[in-house]
């Protein structure tokens, strides 16, 4: 099944996931804020960071990341969307391009539906060890 054959919820979750990465790449705090639910139940794990809990901590992390010098371009691959009622999750690979090269991050994004909109409640990114480096370890 291709994206044109998706049910409306799956398409809406895919669009919310795309909006998340667009906001991240653009370093747009307003757009990032619009993607997330603003409650104490949200959590975020940036690669190498501890678990952040609650919208205040998560929002502060985006401010810190966007205020830094690093600019990232995302190429999202292997995106899989799963919807169960008012909860959905997306697994994907974030292929990041920055001034110093590329890196890969395996990500899971969890969304919940509220009043017809899907909001992000959890993002978890884990760095992927490159196979060549793993063999040399």
């Amino acid at each position: 099944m291709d994206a044109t054959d998706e049910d409306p919820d799956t398409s809406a979750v895919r669009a919310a996931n795309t909006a998340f990465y667009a906001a991240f790449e653009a370093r747009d705090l307003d757009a990032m804020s619009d993607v997330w639910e603003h409650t104490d139940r949200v959590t975020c794990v940036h690669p190498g960071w501890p678990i952040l809990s609650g919208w205040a901590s998560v929002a502060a992390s985006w401010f810190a990341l966007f205020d830094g010098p690093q600019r990232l371009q995302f190429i999202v691959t292997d995106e899989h969307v799963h919807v169960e009622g008012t909860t959905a999750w997306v697994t994907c690979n974030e292929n990041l391009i920055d001034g110093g090269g590329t890196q890969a991050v395996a990500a899971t994004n969890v969304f919940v539906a509220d009043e017809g909109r899907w909001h992000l409640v959890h993002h978890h990114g884990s760095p992927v060890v490159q196979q060549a480096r793993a063999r040399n370890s």
Side-chain angles (χ1 to χ4, degrees):
M1 167 168 36
D2 66 22
T4 58
D5 296 330
E6 289 181 337
D7 67 82
D9 283 333
T10 300
S11 293
V13 170
R14 189 179 305 281
N17 199 59
T18 298
F20 168 70
Y21 287 106
F24 200 159
E25 190 171 296
R27 300 162 62 113
D28 185 332
L29 286 170
D30 290 334
M32 184 61 76
S33 178
D34 195 45
V35 170
W36 283 85
E37 181 180 276
H38 295 190
T39 67
D40 288 338
R41 74 176 175 172
V42 301
T43 53
C44 184
V45 181
H46 298 295
W49 290 42
I51 297 170
L52 303 172
S53 297
W55 173 240
S57 294
V58 172
S61 76
W62 293 115
F63 180 81
L65 286 169
F66 293 170
D67 196 43
Q70 187 177 28
R71 301 251 179 223
L72 297 173
Q73 177 184 0
F74 288 86
I75 300 172
V76 176
T77 58
D78 299 320
E79 181 182 63
H80 299 279
V81 179
H82 307 275
V83 179
E84 294 290 332
T86 60
T87 303
W89 60 98
V90 179
T91 57
C92 61
N93 291 315
E94 302 171 354
N95 301 283
L96 308 173
I97 302 169
D98 65 16
T102 62
Q103 60 184 353
V105 174
T108 302
N109 298 317
V110 179
F111 296 86
V112 295
D114 182 39
E115 298 181 11
R117 286 201 56 214
W118 290 93
H119 287 98
L120 192 59
V121 294
H122 178 74
H123 168 73
H124 187 126
S126 296
V128 175
V129 177
Q130 299 298 323
Q131 293 298 323
R133 284 192 284 175
R135 282 188 290 242
N136 293 332
S137 298

